[in-house]
Amino acid sequence: IGDGHPLKQFIPLLYNTNMDQWSVQCNMVEAEEIGLLKMDFLGLNNLDVISECLRRIKANYGRTIDLDHLAFESEVFREIFSKGNTSCVFQFESGGMKRMLKEFKPDSIEDLIALVALYRPGPMDFIPDVIAVKQGRSKPHYIVPQLKKILDPTYGQPVYQEQLMDIFHQCAGFSLGEADIIRRYMSKKKVKKFLAYKPQFISGIIAAGAKMEEAEAFWESLTGFAKYAFNKSHAAAYAVVAYQTAWLKYYYPVEFMASLMTSVMDNSTKVSEYTLTCRKMNIEILPPDINEGEGGFSVAGNAIRYGLSAIKGVGRPVIETIIAEREANGAFSNLEDFCSRLNGRELNKRTIENFIKAGAMDELEGTRKQKIMIYSAILDQINDEKKHSHNNVKVDIFLRQSGYLTS
């Protein structure tokens, strides 16, 4: 991002034909050094899941949920986070996160923000100490009084980049500008540049009341932590999305899981994983059904109907055709009715076989074995009848044009 003038006035550009976009001909550091602003925009699948879940809630219950004004409820923290029931909850799905949650037992959004920032290389080393303070098993030790106000909200340990800046500014006498420069050096892993500030930091924090050994040890812990530290705003945004997914999972589990499973339909491994999660949540997964199913996973009372598009080898056009035909002319009465009404419209033998084997035609008369044995013959018969009918029409037209038929 420049200052309003075309970027080509500042830096050479290259048109990337594969990506269909313009690129600068240097790395991000060099671009920033000449005065350009580099920003990363992160796309989250979870935001689509949340939007789809809200749409389903509105359709099923007539309720409009305003996520921007959700209360941070103790029930959600207790039943979802503190118990580690965070499968499918943004940022907290891993086994390590679940163990940390059960030991830490978060009870506020501030706790979630801290845990998002803590569960990274570097800050991770402080997790046992933070848990011990949170559970009252120990008390934090501050080498200078100024640290208490800075670190009390995170149970005595530095977690955010903003805290790093406050420590350098309030405890070691650096200006805010210097503190921000050091933060950048650390976050960009420019080790030599920030290590040059060690003598100034040590002397500054000793002047504030720390002992030499404590100052040295504190510096070492800070340098290890700072390489991977989040800024708090980043952690807060993640924590809020995590809470929103947890809230939806707690209050609207069926709509939430149906939305989540729809978002990963092309990933059979994820579909299987979330199916197992549904069983653990006592949510029944109904088989696909050509008369009731939708393209995605849908809500059927307190159960989830398997999505037709999640069946292997079945394309979206045929699903759209089935749903349109069903809505226009009613449910399919049997296999022959299905083949007759859809033949010639995105349908082939392989698709029908996949539907049968997936159980999408179980509600039609006959067993799967019977349907597998006769579906090919049914399709051939329908095609023959259509061909015969088409030939009769061609003969009829010829006779009319030749004068042999007048009416």
Side-chain angles (χ1 to χ4, degrees):
I1 300 174
D3 66 351
H5 298 290
L7 289 181
K8 65 183 180 181
Q9 293 186 15
F10 307 105
I11 196 166
L13 301 178
L14 169 72
Y15 188 73
N16 186 326
T17 54
N18 292 329
M19 299 290 291
D20 193 25
Q21 65 184 20
W22 287 96
S23 304
V24 297
Q25 294 192 51
C26 66
N27 62 35
M28 65 179 191
V29 175
E30 292 165 334
E32 288 177 337
E33 285 175 351
I34 68 167
L36 297 178
L37 174 64
K38 189 271 304 180
M39 298 182 72
D40 294 337
F41 294 90
L42 179 65
L44 294 179
N45 178 58
N46 301 77
L47 300 181
D48 290 334
V49 172
I50 289 172
S51 296
E52 175 62 15
C53 184
L54 296 181
R55 184 194 68 77
R56 292 172 188 263
I57 294 169
K58 176 70 174 177
N60 294 345
Y61 305 102
R63 299 171 191 160
T64 300
I65 308 297
D66 183 2
L67 290 183
D68 291 332
H69 295 89
L70 275 188
F72 295 117
E73 302 177 28
S74 58
E75 293 90 341
V76 177
F77 287 109
R78 183 180 63 249
E79 298 300 324
I80 301 294
F81 292 106
S82 292
K83 292 183 178 180
N85 293 328
T86 50
S87 295
C88 311
V89 173
F90 178 59
Q91 285 289 297
F92 290 95
E93 289 191 78
S94 72
M97 275 286 200
K98 292 176 181 178
R99 287 191 295 272
M100 178 181 67
L101 288 169
K102 286 190 278 190
E103 293 177 17
F104 187 92
K105 299 193 182 307
D107 53 22
S108 68
I109 190 64
E110 285 288 342
D111 282 349
L112 290 189
I113 296 170
L115 293 179
V116 167
L118 268 171
Y119 201 78
R120 292 167 58 78
M124 237 176 175
D125 296 339
F126 299 126
I127 290 176
D129 297 326
V130 169
I131 290 174
V133 174
K134 168 71 173 176
Q135 299 306 322
R137 296 194 298 269
S138 67
K139 292 184 178 180
H141 170 65
Y142 300 122
I143 64 173
V144 294
Q146 296 93 324
L147 280 174
K148 180 174 174 58
K149 181 180 178 182
I150 299 170
L151 300 182
D152 253 7
T154 50
Y155 306 97
Q157 296 294 340
V159 175
Y160 313 117
Q161 290 182 4
E162 291 87 343
Q163 289 174 307
L164 187 73
M165 292 174 61
D166 285 339
I167 290 169
F168 273 82
H169 175 57
Q170 297 179 29
C171 303
F174 286 73
S175 69
L176 279 174
E178 288 175 320
D180 187 45
I181 290 170
I182 295 165
R183 175 197 62 80
R184 289 191 208 175
Y185 287 158
M186 288 181 162
S187 64
K188 300 293 184 184
K189 300 180 179 62
K190 296 181 178 179
V191 180
K192 289 184 179 179
K193 290 190 175 183
F194 73 72
L195 285 180
Y197 289 92
K198 180 179 178 179
Q200 186 181 345
F201 178 84
I202 296 294
S203 62
I205 204 164
I206 287 175
K211 296 177 182 177
M212 173 60 80
E213 312 84 66
E214 292 178 326
E216 288 277 357
F218 191 52
W219 168 265
E220 293 302 323
S221 67
L222 282 182
T223 56
F225 140 80
K227 294 176 188 176
Y228 303 96
F230 267 10
N231 58 65
K232 188 176 182 180
S233 59
H234 186 89
Y238 272 23
V240 168
V241 175
Y243 179 82
Q244 290 172 347
T245 56
W247 189 91
L248 291 170
K249 180 184 177 181
Y250 182 69
Y251 285 106
Y252 298 96
V254 179
E255 285 76 14
F256 176 71
M257 292 304 299
S259 302
L260 184 65
M261 294 175 77
T262 297
S263 75
V264 297
M265 282 193 303
D266 296 334
N267 187 333
S268 58
T269 301
K270 277 292 183 184
V271 169
S272 299
E273 178 186 328
Y274 292 150
T275 298
L276 181 60
T277 300
C278 285
R279 288 181 182 142
K280 291 178 180 178
M281 295 168 64
N282 294 318
I283 297 174
E284 184 182 4
I285 301 293
L286 302 175
D289 189 328
I290 58 169
N291 276 330
E292 293 193 17
E294 298 177 7
F297 289 79
S298 54
V299 176
N302 292 321
I304 293 175
R305 174 75 64 184
Y306 202 90
L308 294 174
S309 293
I311 300 173
K312 286 187 177 181
V314 178
R316 299 200 177 192
V318 70
I319 302 299
E320 293 170 358
T321 301
I322 289 172
I323 293 173
E325 172 63 27
R326 191 178 71 199
E327 291 177 349
N329 300 305
F332 302 102
S333 57
N334 52 46
L335 180 58
E336 185 176 1
D337 181 46
F338 177 82
C339 294
S340 177
R341 286 163 61 179
L342 264 77
N343 190 36
R345 293 192 291 166
E346 308 289 350
L347 194 65
N348 56 46
K349 291 183 179 180
R350 180 65 181 274
T351 301
I352 296 175
E353 183 175 332
N354 288 341
F355 276 134
I356 295 171
K357 289 181 176 179
M361 294 184 169
D362 283 0
E363 295 304 311
L364 304 182
E365 61 181 332
T367 65
R368 289 188 193 182
K369 184 177 180 180
Q370 289 171 332
K371 294 186 185 83
I372 287 291
M373 291 176 64
I374 65 170
Y375 81 87
S376 182
I378 291 175
L379 265 186
D380 290 341
Q381 179 182 343
I382 291 171
N383 286 330
D384 286 343
E385 288 175 355
K386 282 190 174 182
K387 185 177 180 181
H388 181 70
S389 174
H390 180 66
N391 287 337
N392 283 346
V393 170
K394 287 172 67 177
V395 170
D396 187 68
I397 292 173
F398 173 76
L399 292 175
R400 289 178 189 279
Q401 290 176 341
S402 303
Y404 290 102
L405 290 177
T406 57
S407 63

